[in-house]
Structure formats: C-alpha cells, structure tokens
Amino acid sequence: MSKKLFIETLGCAMNVRDSEHMIAELNAQEGYELTDDAREADLILINTCSVREKPVHKLFSELGVFNKLKKEGAKIGVSGCTASHLGKEIIKRAPYVNFVLGARNVSKIGEVLHRDKAVEVEIDYDESQFAFKDFRSSPYKAYINISIGCDKQCTFCIVPKTRGDEISIPADLIVAEARKAAQNGVKEIFLLGQNVNNYGRRFSGNHEKMNFTELLRRVSAVEGVERIRFTSPHPLHMDDEFIEEFARNPKICKSMHMPLQSGSSEILKAMKRGYTKEWFLNRAAKLRELVPDVSISTDIIVAFPGESDKDFEETLDVMREVRFEQVFSFKYSPRPLTEAEGFTDTVDSEVGSERLSRLQAFQDTILDEMKTTLLGKEVEVYFEELRNDGYVAGRSDNNVMIKVKGCEEWLGKIAKVKITEVSRLVQYGEILA
Ligand code: SAH
Ligand code: F3S
C-alpha cells in the first residue's frame, strides 16, 4: 500500500509551487500519494508563510491539533518561510515535529524525511538549477518558478530573510518546463518569482544573459502555450520595453499585478520601495494607454510607521486614479529581522483598523462601478473549474472570473462568452461559440 501525504499550503503562489515540488519528490522517491484526511496520513506537512504575524501564531495551535489526531507512527514536518525564520525553535516549541525545512531548501524533502529532528534552513542554498520531478495540481495551468529569493530590502518585508538572495533560473530550464506542460495539454503558463521583472540579474552559473521581457518572448514562442500570466512584477522595473511587450504580445494575459504598498512618496521612501507616487501613476497610465482593457491588481499596506492621515489619503488618491480590479490590503504587521521593526513612529492599532475598513469600503464602491461596465461585453474564457451547481467557471484574459451553465466537456477549453450578469465577486455569462 502506498504511503499517504497530507499537505497544507499557506501564503503565496510560490508556496503553491514549492508544495507541488515537494509532492513530486515525495511521490517519485517514496511513493507518497495525497490525502485530504490528516488522520490517515503517514506524513503531515505544513508549508508556511511568515509575511504577517497572525499565521505564525496559528501554526503552533495547528501543530498541536495535528499531533493529537495523527495516526500512530505518522510524521509531522514544517516547511516554508516560517520554517526558515524560526528553524530549530519550532522543534523546541513543538517537540513532536519531525523536521523543519526552509523555503529555500524544498528540494531536500526526501532526505530530511529520514533524519529525525532535521533542520535545513540555509538561505544561501542554491536550488535554482535543481530539476524537480513532475507534479501539477491543475491540468490546465502550470506554475513555473523563474527565480528564487529576493534582492530587494523593503523595510517591512521578511521574505529576503527567509528566501535569501535572488537567483534567476536558467531560461532553457524554464522553456523546457513550459514545453513539457504544453505537451501535456496545459494552455496557461504562470511564471513565478518575488520580483519577476528583475529576472536575469544574477544566475548561479554561466548562463545566457536575458531580461524578463526576452524571457516572455521565449515562453510565448512555445507551441501549445496560449496564455501567459506572471506574478509579481515590481513597479520600479516596469520599463517601457516591458510594458510594450505586455501590450503587444497576444499570449500575455492582460492583467497586471502592481504592488503599490502606499500612495505616499514619503512612506514609499521609508519602505525603501524605490519609486514615488508619480512614477507609479505614470506606469499605470502608460499601461492603460497601451491596453485600455487591462485589469490591474495591487497590494496595499495601511498604518505603516509614520503614516499620517494625509499619507493615507494619498493611497486613496491612487486607488481613485488607477481603479484597481482587485486590492489585497493589509494592516502593517511588524516582522522580526526587518528594518521597520525598529521604527518607533508606529500608528495606533485602532487607527490602522479604521483605515483598513475605510480603504476596503472605498474599493467596493469603485469595484461596483467598474463591474457594471462589464455587462454585455464579449470575452474569451479559459474554463478550469467545475462547479457543483451545473456551472463551469474560468477567467477571461483580463482576469474576470466568469461562470456559465455547462459541464466538464468545457474544462480545458477556451470559448467566447458574453457577460450577462455582474456582481462584486463573480460574473455570469453565456457561451457564444
Ligand atoms: N514580492 C512579493 C511580496 C511578497 S509579500 C510580491 O510582490 O508578491 C506579499 C504582500 O504582503 C506584500 O506585497 C505586502 O503588501 C504584504 N506584506 C509584506 N510584509 C508585510 C508586513 N510586514 N505587514 C503587512 N503586510 C505585509
Ligand atoms: Fe518583499 Fe519587497 Fe521582495 S515586498 S519579497 S522585499 S520586493
């Protein structure tokens, strides 16, 4: 009988891909198969996130629950950014944990499994050329890492300390992965990195020099690839060449994530983001000029140390001007190992909560207005999900989630759809052809 793996993945898309890598390695080396039931698992693995404080607290209570319900002899592992950050401290606080595997070390999963109390959290470790075995959680969409780590030093962010310096993965490996995925019927490639448009600044070996724009061209030349998405680009590196390629290349989906963080140039400076409010607005305007239908999403942090009412209003200004399709908003959470942890001009927590709700309410009004303009539009939808109420769902090129009446025969297909009903979260439509 095969062994069973229960895996929980928290945080960003890079963690989703890391989990796929670990599942693939465990399956190839040890014959593990996935289960949804932690009670029958031989290995329970939590792939963690440490970007904000709350999920880190939750980890330890969750580990306690898993320890109680696990079957006799089952192992528990902790991987990801909290593993990198807390290291052996995790085993100190939860002695029943069998191994700790950092975000930069996921290729070692097969090895740590057999070393009880192993802690592998080296952030200089280079797995940029490691050829992982194959596992994809979706038959329709392939996540592909293009770099590991991050070279930026945003003062609020713990990621460079948990994922280490940025190293680009050689383009021929990326293209080979895209080719393999396309041969297996995948139409959509999702390129991943903490800072994708910084691609090519550093490789670990002697590799062909290339920037992100050129990489996009290479991937789009792969036969069978019909759609390309990527996350996350950095607003600082959105040069004209990149935006022009984004606009011109029909395979690149017209949805862009532009993590703003704050609309105040003062706060952006304190965050060490490297751009101003004006630069951000200029890039967004250029994007809209070349791609009028582009959907832009963003990340915003409120109540960063020193944020005044006026600074906060500037963030709302940018939202008013850019009109984001989606805003991931967070209240600033001080993180260890970051520069901002030592900043003393903190914002009162209640003020932060109030700003966060104001911002979200404001976004809702913008979104409601934007959604009405979708009514009657014709878009191409790539169907990826079967809903149990007789619907199939998928995304348009510019990232609008649309449900239509239909069955599994539509899965994996791209069809023209007319939008017939709109709401904040989901749209309904009819298939035209
Ligand atoms: N380079 C990655 C960033 C990863 S962190 C990317 O662009 O996707 C994802 C988001 O979490 C950040 O964009 C930021 O908005 C938020 N975040 C990071 N550190 C935070 C902190 N200390 N407090 C609150 N939000 C934070
Ligand atoms: Fe974090 Fe800034 Fe890098 S948000 S992941 S340090 S680009």
Side-chain angles (χ1 to χ4, degrees):
M1 245 186 40
S2 69
K3 287 184 258 180
K4 296 235 162 29
L5 164 68
F6 174 90
I7 185 164
E8 182 180 341
T9 305
L10 307 163
C12 64
M14 279 134 266
N15 260 14
V16 173
R17 184 61 185 143
D18 289 345
S19 286
E20 290 182 345
H21 281 149
M22 290 190 286
I23 295 166
E25 290 296 306
L26 286 169
N27 179 270
Q29 294 181 26
E30 310 270 339
Y32 272 95
E33 278 173 16
L34 286 174
T35 174
D36 289 336
D37 184 357
R39 277 167 304 202
E40 64 163 23
D42 300 278
L43 171 60
I44 296 174
L45 185 57
I46 311 185
N47 195 11
T48 59
C49 169
S50 62
V51 159
R52 283 166 294 277
E53 192 180 10
K54 244 197 208 140
V56 178
H57 279 312
K58 251 180 58 193
L59 171 69
F60 286 97
S61 56
E62 220 185 349
L63 281 171
V65 172
F66 283 136
N67 186 42
K68 283 216 183 83
L69 61 74
K70 72 173 190 186
K71 72 176 190 189
E72 176 117 17
K75 291 179 181 172
I76 298 183
V78 177
S79 63
C81 284
T82 303
S84 312
H85 160 215
L86 294 179
K88 56 182 188 297
E89 180 71 24
I90 294 179
I91 296 187
K92 233 190 242 160
R93 281 173 69 179
Y96 45 84
V97 166
N98 297 90
F99 64 85
V100 175
L101 185 64
R104 182 98 174 198
N105 302 256
V106 294
S107 61
K108 298 179 190 162
I109 181 75
E111 185 220 323
V112 292
L113 186 63
H114 298 294
R115 263 199 296 133
D116 201 35
K117 309 301 169 204
V119 176
E120 285 285 345
V121 293
E122 213 191 317
I123 59 163
D124 296 328
Y125 188 65
D126 177 11
E127 53 186 23
S128 64
Q129 296 183 67
F130 186 88
F132 288 92
K133 306 284 185 310
D134 226 15
F135 175 85
R136 302 234 169 251
S137 36
S138 162
Y140 312 115
K141 170 163 68 188
Y143 285 121
I144 300 180
N145 284 345
I146 67 163
S147 58
I148 57 177
C150 181
D151 268 357
K152 300 277 172 210
Q153 300 289 331
C154 303
T155 55
F156 54 80
C157 184
I158 194 174
V159 171
K161 296 290 189 303
T162 61
R163 290 187 177 263
D165 289 346
E166 191 172 314
I167 302 184
S168 298
I169 293 171
D172 44 358
L173 287 184
I174 297 168
V175 169
E177 253 197 273
R179 198 170 288 136
K180 191 149 96 190
Q183 278 161 0
N184 289 330
V186 170
K187 293 193 172 85
E188 185 171 301
I189 300 293
F190 212 124
L191 303 175
L192 297 179
Q194 297 297 337
N195 191 353
V196 286
N197 50 347
N198 204 28
Y199 179 80
R201 262 196 52 198
R202 188 190 306 122
F203 294 98
S204 69
N206 208 357
H207 291 281
E208 188 188 358
K209 287 268 162 270
M210 188 179 300
N211 65 15
F212 185 57
T213 305
E214 178 56 26
L215 180 72
L216 284 171
R217 290 191 194 112
R218 295 279 176 102
V219 174
S220 64
V222 172
E223 205 185 311
V225 169
E226 294 189 33
R227 288 183 161 202
I228 300 172
R229 297 186 192 274
F230 50 83
T231 202
S232 284
H234 194 295
L236 175 66
H237 303 297
M238 292 191 174
D239 54 27
D240 285 352
E241 190 204 4
F242 165 66
I243 295 180
E244 281 155 16
E245 179 65 20
F246 177 87
R248 191 197 59 77
N249 188 327
K251 289 195 181 173
I252 300 178
C253 289
K254 300 303 178 248
S255 102
M256 182 81 91
H257 189 59
M258 285 183 76
L260 169 67
Q261 313 301 358
S262 168
S264 151
S265 294
E266 287 273 301
I267 296 295
L268 287 169
K269 196 162 170 206
M271 289 175 162
K272 293 207 174 141
R273 288 289 289 175
Y275 54 86
T276 58
K277 176 188 189 184
E278 289 68 34
W279 169 259
F280 188 95
L281 287 174
N282 171 287
R283 296 293 84 189
K286 169 105 188 166
L287 200 57
R288 282 238 191 265
E289 176 198 324
L290 298 188
V291 190
D293 264 352
V294 66
S295 118
I296 307 179
S297 58
T298 196
D299 292 347
I300 294 176
I301 298 176
V302 301
F304 185 76
E307 187 187 74
S308 64
D309 282 335
K310 187 173 153 291
D311 293 317
F312 176 64
E313 290 298 332
E314 297 210 55
T315 299
L316 300 183
D317 267 359
V318 176
M319 289 169 66
R320 194 175 295 117
E321 196 159 330
V322 176
R323 298 170 76 78
F324 299 105
E325 214 80 44
Q326 215 175 0
V327 175
F328 301 93
S329 51
F330 315 100
K331 188 162 118 178
Y332 170 66
S333 163
R335 304 304 295 127
L337 312 175
T338 63
E339 205 180 321
E341 194 200 12
F343 292 0
T344 49
D345 45 355
T346 51
V347 174
D348 184 77
S349 170
E350 263 173 45
V351 173
S353 304
E354 192 265 332
R355 284 183 189 161
L356 188 63
S357 6
R358 249 183 83 197
L359 181 148
Q360 288 169 346
F362 183 55
Q363 173 61 14
D364 283 348
T365 60
I366 296 180
L367 205 55
D368 287 344
E369 273 173 40
M370 286 169 74
K371 289 283 152 129
T372 57
T373 65
L374 288 174
L375 214 54
K377 281 225 160 108
E378 291 177 13
V379 289
E380 294 213 323
V381 177
Y382 182 30
F383 292 105
E384 299 175 62
E385 283 172 49
L386 190 62
R387 300 287 171 91
N388 49 15
D389 46 1
Y391 284 87
V392 281
R395 291 186 180 278
S396 71
D397 174 279
N398 61 355
N399 216 25
V400 182
M401 180 57 113
I402 297 171
K403 279 169 80 170
V404 305
K405 274 229 149 43
C407 54
E408 60 263 20
E409 72 172 275
W410 284 105
L411 293 178
K413 295 201 172 120
I414 296 178
K416 196 164 234 186
V417 169
K418 182 172 177 171
I419 302 178
T420 53
E421 208 183 313
V422 293
S423 72
R424 232 174 249 167
L425 286 179
V426 68
Q427 285 54 238
Y428 290 87
E430 278 165 12
I431 293 175
L432 293 174

